[in-house]
Amino acid sequence: MQQVDHEIDDRLFRNAMGSFATGVTVITTEVAEEVHGMTANAFMSISLNPKLVAISIGENARMHQHIKDANQFAINILSSDQQNVSKQFSGQLNGESEITFATYKGLPILEDGLAVVTCKLYSEYVVGDHTVFIGHVTGVKLEQKDPLLFSQGKYRELKELEE
Ligand code: FAD
């Protein structure tokens, strides 16, 4: 493939991509009776029929192998009061806190989130230094809450604009 990105500064690229505002999810799964979680904002809805979603996981993240081993995963969409949960599952808190998981569709999920999407692994694509995992949706839960947002390296809350 033709190399076109050699003149683009890594920091500029990261800052520009990080200025795209997203929600925040924690990917959860279970391997050999052990629960694993990882904060991720590279999540998107892909298809309605069949119902498919995508997440993108870095090749160095432990979750990368966990998803392959479990063949299924849950996407926990965080609510605005779950900033510390995001920090916990991205390794930004000192010391591991005790997290309680519930079970839904055979997968560990977080309590008190905004929404949960459970998936069977449908396909995967190695793309550069990440793998895009496509999930075939097996269950959806939704609560009436506001989302936690992330942009420009900071957690944020939703604000409605005046019309
Ligand atoms: P680990 O380092 O094993 O786990 C991550 C953290 O979760 C650790 O601190 C661990 O103690 C804790 N944890 C895991 N399981 C449990 C458990 N059962 N109970 C309690 N704590 C537990 N990376 C991507 O690849 N893709 C993304 O889309 C992405 N988006 C991100 C968005 C945000 C807002 C942030 C802050 C980070 C994002 N990251 C993303 C980075 C990613 O979250 C970190 O690199 C993460 O530490 C990688 O985790 P790991 O799978 O290697 O697992």
Side-chain angles (χ1 to χ4, degrees):
M1 191 182 290
Q2 201 186 358
Q3 293 294 309
V4 290
D5 65 3
H6 59 282
E7 282 175 3
I8 299 168
D9 178 67
D10 286 0
R11 175 53 52 193
L12 171 65
F13 181 73
R14 289 174 75 121
N15 288 349
M17 297 307 110
S19 70
F20 184 62
T22 67
V24 183
T25 79
V26 171
I27 311 302
T28 48
T29 195
E30 188 172 327
V31 179
E33 292 177 22
E34 209 175 309
V35 175
H36 304 278
M38 190 198 103
T39 302
N41 63 349
F43 160 65
M44 68 192 285
S45 169
I46 297 282
S47 160
L48 186 61
N49 186 21
K51 291 185 177 59
L52 302 173
V53 295
I55 55 172
S56 175
I57 307 287
E59 63 187 359
N60 294 325
R62 272 180 274 247
M63 183 55 72
H64 192 265
Q65 190 59 43
H66 296 327
I67 290 177
K68 288 167 177 277
D69 292 342
N71 220 36
Q72 58 177 356
F73 56 93
I75 298 149
N76 301 265
I77 300 175
L78 300 188
S79 58
S80 55
D81 56 2
Q82 290 186 301
Q83 187 180 331
N84 273 348
V85 177
S86 174
K87 289 183 175 174
Q88 168 66 30
F89 288 100
S90 55
Q92 294 173 314
L93 289 184
N94 293 329
E96 192 156 315
S97 38
E98 195 61 42
I99 304 273
T100 313
F101 296 92
T103 302
Y104 176 62
K105 301 284 178 185
L107 278 159
I109 62 163
L110 293 173
E111 293 175 322
D112 304 323
L114 161 58
V116 176
V117 181
T118 55
C119 309
K120 295 272 183 220
L121 184 57
Y122 181 84
S123 56
E124 57 186 87
Y125 304 92
V126 176
V127 187
D129 56 12
H130 278 56
T131 296
V132 175
F133 292 101
I134 308 291
H136 195 177
V137 176
T138 55
V140 174
K141 276 159 78 85
L142 178 63
E143 304 289 336
Q144 288 295 322
K145 293 183 176 182
D146 278 342
L148 179 64
L149 304 182
F150 193 74
S151 182
Q152 296 172 330
K154 291 197 171 78
Y155 293 99
R156 298 168 193 273
E157 275 184 324
L158 207 59
K159 190 175 107 189
E160 216 168 296
L161 297 176
E162 302 284 327
E163 291 204 5

